[in-house]
């Protein structure tokens, strides 16, 4: 039985792995996709203390290499079941059959991007609809694209796309962006950007790929916007249902835990975006990873 099992290899999970290894714990990290988490898709990180301008990919890679070098074990399998208790130990089972027995557990499962829930959304994904501007933006070089959302992700995506595409629309459901003012100012300084405020995307048009989107204004009026792509950045949702039998989740599905990362179950900690918190940032995810790992290591020794 290992000391600390960590579910998720994003910033919180990888930081937890580093701290738990340095505390002398045996550590296994489960990850269902590539290591690094959400930050991989950020072209440039400007708000992580001491590392201005580092790319999300480079940052995530360094973190992964650091955890590996310290001896954390990695299992690339999506966790499908977690059971047990602090008294008996926890059992983790992956979709491809990977298993692990652990004295303590750190849930660092992050969040996934929210979908629009529109007819044709799945079919058009990869055919004009994308959830990652840095991954797919280059396919639309010199073309017209639209970004849907008003948060930091949407505005950063739109800024990134201004350097690649001829025209960038940004569609947001309110008349004010949620994103940081500095990012909004930067976006609006580009002359190939046009805002579509007080609109939501209500329909998708095209045969085998997107050619236009239907927009609905808050006053109920509709219009069609011709575009070669729609980059969707309308927020994040947790994916914690696999943990619902062992820890308390809130109504939105986040693991209930405070700044000490302690959950409703002894021996289970929650770190990063997956837990209830006000500020979901890289630096707070890293902080959670350290807090959770120190606490889990103390309990498991
Ligand atoms: P956010 O939750 O910050 O923003 C989501 C945006 O999508 C909001 O503008 C919201 O509108 C809109 N929205 C939500 N649901 C819908 C819907 N059903 N239909 C239409 N619009 C919708 O998510 P982000 O992904 O932008 O950011 C997540 C977190 O990561 C935030 O804390 C953010 O600050 C952080 N982040 C930080 C970065 C940085 O600091 N450089 C970079 C990227 C992300 P409304 O405003 O009306 O609620």
């Amino acid at each position: 039985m290992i000391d600390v099992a960590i579910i998720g290899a994003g910033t919180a999970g990888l930081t937890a792995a580093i701290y738990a290894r340095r505390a002398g714990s045996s550590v296994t990290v489960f990850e269902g996709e590539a290591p690094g988490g959400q930050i991989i898709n950020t072209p440039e990180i400007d708000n992580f203390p001491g590392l201005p301008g580092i790319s999300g990919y480079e940052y995530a890679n360094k973190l992964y290499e650091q955890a590996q070098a310290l001896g954390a074990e990695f299992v690339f399998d999506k966790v499908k079941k977690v059971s047990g208790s602090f008294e008996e130990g926890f059992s983790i089972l992956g979709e491809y059959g990977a298993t692990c027995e652990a004295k303590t557990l750190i849930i660092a499962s992050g969040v996934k991007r929210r979908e629009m829930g529109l007819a044709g959304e799945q079919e058009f994904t990869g055919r004009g609809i994308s959830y990652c501007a840095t991954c797919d933006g280059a396919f639309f070089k010199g073309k017209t694209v639209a970004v849907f959302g008003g948060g930091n992700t949407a505005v950063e995506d739109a800024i990134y796309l201004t350097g690649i595409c001829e025209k960038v629309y940004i569609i947001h459901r309110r008349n004010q962006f949620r994103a940081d003012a500095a990012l909004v100012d930067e976006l609006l300084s580009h002359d190939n950007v046009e805002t579509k405020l007080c609109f939501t995307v209500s329909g998708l048009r095209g045969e085998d790929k997107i050619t236009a989107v239907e927009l609905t204004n808050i006053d109920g009026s509709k219009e069609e916007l011709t575009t070669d792509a729609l980059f969707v950045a309308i927020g994040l949702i947790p994916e914690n249902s696999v943990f619902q039998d062992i820890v308390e989740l809130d109504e939105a599905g986040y693991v209930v835990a405070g700044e000490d990362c302690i959950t409703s179950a002894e021996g289970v900690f929650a770190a990063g975006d997956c837990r209830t918190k006000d500020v979901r940032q890289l630096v707070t995810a890293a902080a959670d990873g350290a807090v959770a790992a120190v606490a889990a290591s103390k309990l498991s020794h």
Side-chain angles (χ1 to χ4, degrees):
M1 183 173 290
I2 60 148
D3 295 322
V4 184
I6 298 170
I7 300 175
T11 296
L14 291 172
T15 306
I18 291 167
Y19 273 77
R21 285 297 299 146
R22 287 174 59 89
S25 301
S26 48
V27 171
T28 298
V29 184
F30 276 75
E31 171 56 57
E33 292 172 18
Q38 292 273 331
I39 199 64
I40 291 185
N41 299 324
T42 297
E44 194 179 294
I45 303 169
D46 283 325
N47 56 6
F48 195 82
L51 295 174
I54 192 171
S55 80
Y57 181 79
E58 189 188 352
Y59 168 80
N61 238 3
K62 278 182 190 283
L63 204 52
Y64 177 47
E65 284 169 8
Q66 196 176 352
Q68 268 186 321
L70 284 165
E73 298 287 330
F74 284 83
V75 173
F76 290 98
D77 196 354
K78 189 173 167 132
V79 170
K80 73 167 186 184
K81 191 170 165 52
V82 180
S83 55
S85 64
F86 182 59
E87 287 72 32
E88 302 163 1
F90 296 99
S91 297
I92 300 158
L93 175 63
E95 280 180 358
Y96 292 108
T99 57
C100 175
E101 305 286 316
K103 294 181 197 167
T104 61
L105 193 63
I106 297 176
I107 301 171
S109 52
V111 284
K112 70 164 197 153
R113 287 197 171 187
R114 177 181 282 118
E115 295 181 357
M116 297 177 290
L118 295 177
E121 184 167 0
Q122 307 297 332
E123 293 78 358
F124 282 126
T125 297
R127 297 166 180 270
I129 289 188
S130 168
Y131 300 85
C132 178
T134 46
C135 316
D136 299 330
F139 294 123
F140 301 96
K141 193 164 185 251
K143 304 219 163 166
T144 295
V145 299
V147 176
F148 184 24
N152 279 332
T153 304
V155 172
E156 277 194 347
D157 284 358
I159 291 169
Y160 175 75
L161 292 165
T162 58
I164 299 172
C165 306
E166 185 174 295
K167 173 96 187 177
V168 179
Y169 290 99
I170 182 159
I171 305 155
H172 178 40
R173 64 183 176 183
R174 289 188 296 130
N175 65 357
Q176 238 185 348
F177 287 104
R178 175 177 294 276
D180 298 347
L183 282 176
V184 176
D185 288 348
E186 188 185 340
L187 176 67
L188 299 180
S189 72
H190 292 273
D191 55 15
N192 59 343
V193 170
E194 186 173 331
T195 57
K196 300 295 284 179
L197 297 178
C198 301
F199 282 101
T200 55
V201 177
S202 48
L204 306 171
R205 305 276 182 266
E207 290 292 321
D208 57 341
K209 60 182 176 66
I210 286 275
T211 52
V213 292
E214 180 196 76
L215 303 183
T216 300
N217 192 279
I218 46 171
D219 67 10
S221 62
K222 291 188 190 300
E223 62 181 73
E224 210 156 282
L225 182 76
T226 303
T227 184
D228 297 302
L230 179 67
F231 290 91
V232 182
I234 56 170
L236 306 164
I237 49 169
E239 275 192 304
N240 291 327
S241 53
V242 72
F243 310 113
Q244 67 191 7
D245 292 338
I246 58 161
V247 286
E248 185 191 346
L249 306 183
D250 76 356
E251 278 175 8
Y254 291 97
V255 180
V256 176
E259 294 300 311
D260 55 10
C261 300
I262 293 174
T263 70
S264 58
E266 189 180 12
V268 182
F269 300 86
D273 286 358
C274 68
R275 78 167 174 90
T276 49
K277 56 158 60 188
D278 290 331
V279 184
R280 290 195 170 83
Q281 289 285 301
L282 206 54
V283 71
T284 59
D288 278 7
V291 170
V294 169
S297 293
K298 268 190 196 150
L299 261 189
S300 62
H301 291 172

